[in-house]
């Protein structure tokens, strides 16, 4: 494989970092995207990854901003290389019962988790269509499949991501582009460790495997979907949740 680019939104995050590492090991030039590159975090992250043997590029784009996503992708295509893999991993939570949820928390979650997928995918799609090859992988959530107390916004956005996945998969299948989603269960990242310990332990007790998942377990699935081994898989959702939610 020649050096092509894997673009990972939220690539500096708990799950995104492991996905970046996995795709780097698979031979891609990995461009991790962040909301705000100016913050020290990006430099610290690059240095930390370098120490572990990984060389990553970081680009900035707010995934809620269509113009910014388009400009960033154009820059990557021109200055770095052809984007072969897009992983939509950027996401936020703003939990609260619907009764108390204000509009801003609805809007923030929908625009980051769902509009963000549109904004980034639309930005890479023409390039992928021209080359007749691409791998689009959307990081959804178990809570998009089954709903979750206090997460009407997040569950709606994550379920919406999969509707998007299934529809786009049909539109681009004949152009060599696959579109899939991965639905993690509870993964031990800052997002989940921020949950109150008592609630976290209660959540773990409901998982048949009796433990949270590791970011690497999501990354391995993304690596598989990006590889040639997954050539005939499109429009699929792969749950990685320790048995927390099963369906067919
Ligand atoms: P993190 O908070 O560690 O990572 C989320 C990333 O999203 C951050 O790196 C952040 O970028 C980025 N981000 C947030 N808002 C924006 C924005 N407007 N524009 C661009 N980037 C943005 O969370 P996780 O690693 O835990 O989660 C990664 C994904 O996995 C999310 O989509 C999440 O919903 C999903 N998921 C996570 C689960 C878990 O248990 N952890 C379970 C199920 C799904 P930065 O701060 O660098 O600017």
């Amino acid at each position: 494989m020649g050096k092509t680019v894997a673009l990972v939104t939220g690539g500096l995050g708990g799950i995104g970092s492991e996905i970046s590492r996995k795709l780097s090991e698979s031979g891609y030039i990995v461009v991790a995207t962040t909301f705000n590159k100016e913050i020290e975090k990006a430099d610290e992250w690059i240095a930390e990854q370098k120490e572990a043997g990984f060389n990553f590029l970081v680009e900035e784009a707010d995934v809620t901003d269509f113009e910014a996503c388009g400009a960033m992708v154009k820059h990557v295509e021109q200055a770095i290389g052809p984007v072969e893999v897009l992983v939509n991993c950027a996401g936020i939570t703003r939990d609260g019962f619907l009764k108390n949820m204000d509009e801003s928390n609805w809007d923030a979650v929908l625009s980051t988790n769902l509009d963000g997928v549109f904004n980034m995918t639309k930005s890479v799609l023409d390039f992928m269509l021209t080359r007749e090859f691409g791998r689009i992988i959307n990081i959804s959530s178990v809570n998009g499949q089954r709903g979750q107390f206090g997460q009407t916004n997040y569950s709606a956005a994550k379920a919406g991501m999969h509707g998007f996945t299934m529809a786009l998969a049909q539109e681009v299948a004949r152009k060599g582009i696959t579109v899939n989603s991965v639905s993690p269960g509870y993964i031990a990242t800052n997002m989940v460790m921020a949950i109150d310990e008592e609630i976290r332990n209660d959540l773990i007790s409901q998982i048949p495997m009796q433990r949270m998942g590791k970011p690497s377990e999501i990354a391995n699935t993304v690596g598989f979907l990006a590889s040639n081994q997954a050539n005939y898989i499109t429009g699929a959702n792969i749950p990685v949740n320790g048995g927390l939610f099963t369906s067919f």
Side-chain angles (χ1 to χ4, degrees), residues 7-13 16-17 20 31-43 45-46 57-65 68-69 72 76 87 89-91 112 120:
L7 200 55
V8 183
T9 73
L12 279 59
S17 294
S20 297
V31 178
T33 81
T34 180
F35 183 42
N36 185 358
K37 195 177 161 186
E38 299 312 314
I39 50 174
E40 281 171 13
K41 205 180 85 181
D43 291 339
W45 183 82
I46 289 172
L57 301 169
V58 173
E59 292 293 335
E60 178 184 331
D62 177 352
V63 296
T64 69
D65 181 339
C69 291
M72 188 263 288
V76 170
V87 184
C89 186
T112 305
M120 283 300 303

Side-chain angles (χ1 to χ4, degrees), residues 9-16 33-36 39 41 61-64 88-93 112-113 139-142 154 158 161 183-192:
T9 73
L12 279 59
I15 292 175
T33 81
T34 180
F35 183 42
N36 185 358
I39 50 174
K41 205 180 85 181
D62 177 352
V63 296
T64 69
N88 285 307
C89 186
I92 58 167
T93 52
T112 305
N113 296 1
I139 308 301
S140 181
S141 168
V142 65
Y154 188 78
K158 293 300 193 183
M161 276 172 85
S183 290
Y186 288 97
I187 309 299
T189 65
N190 292 342
M191 186 185 262
V192 165

Side-chain angles (χ1 to χ4, degrees), residues 190-203:
N190 292 342
M191 186 185 262
V192 165
M193 298 315 272
I195 301 172
D196 179 76
E197 192 179 354
E198 205 175 315
I199 299 175
R200 246 192 297 135
N201 289 338
D202 185 46
L203 289 171

Side-chain angles (χ1 to χ4, degrees), residues 137-183:
I137 301 158
N138 298 320
I139 308 301
S140 181
S141 168
V142 65
N143 290 342
Q145 295 178 279
R146 60 168 199 170
Q148 175 66 9
F149 258 79
Q151 288 196 324
T152 48
N153 49 4
Y154 188 78
S155 300
K158 293 300 193 183
M161 276 172 85
H162 190 56
F164 178 93
T165 298
M166 293 188 290
L168 182 62
Q170 294 177 41
E171 291 181 18
V172 298
R174 71 190 64 187
K175 291 289 186 183
I177 302 170
T178 65
V179 191
N180 293 291
S181 50
V182 175
S183 290

Side-chain angles (χ1 to χ4, degrees), residues 73-223:
V73 168
K74 216 174 186 175
H75 164 72
V76 170
E77 283 273 342
Q78 285 168 356
I80 303 171
V83 179
E84 195 165 272
V85 178
L86 168 66
V87 184
N88 285 307
C89 186
I92 58 167
T93 52
R94 294 283 183 275
D95 295 355
F97 295 127
L98 186 68
K99 187 174 169 305
N100 307 322
M101 187 181 293
D102 56 32
E103 203 185 345
S104 66
N105 284 342
W106 172 268
D107 288 343
V109 169
L110 268 289
S111 63
T112 305
N113 296 1
L114 187 55
D115 295 355
V117 172
F118 167 80
N119 293 340
M120 283 300 303
T121 306
K122 178 90 176 132
S123 299
V124 300
L125 197 64
D126 279 347
F127 293 107
M128 289 182 174
L129 286 170
T130 304
R131 291 190 289 265
E132 301 203 347
F133 190 84
R135 296 279 176 267
I136 297 167
I137 301 158
N138 298 320
I139 308 301
S140 181
S141 168
V142 65
N143 290 342
Q145 295 178 279
R146 60 168 199 170
Q148 175 66 9
F149 258 79
Q151 288 196 324
T152 48
N153 49 4
Y154 188 78
S155 300
K158 293 300 193 183
M161 276 172 85
H162 190 56
F164 178 93
T165 298
M166 293 188 290
L168 182 62
Q170 294 177 41
E171 291 181 18
V172 298
R174 71 190 64 187
K175 291 289 186 183
I177 302 170
T178 65
V179 191
N180 293 291
S181 50
V182 175
S183 290
Y186 288 97
I187 309 299
T189 65
N190 292 342
M191 186 185 262
V192 165
M193 298 315 272
I195 301 172
D196 179 76
E197 192 179 354
E198 205 175 315
I199 299 175
R200 246 192 297 135
N201 289 338
D202 185 46
L203 289 171
I204 290 171
S205 72
Q206 293 165 34
I207 303 169
M209 286 193 187
Q210 296 286 290
R211 68 168 177 89
M212 288 194 189
K214 301 175 200 152
S216 61
E217 290 168 325
I218 305 306
N220 287 340
T221 309
V222 171

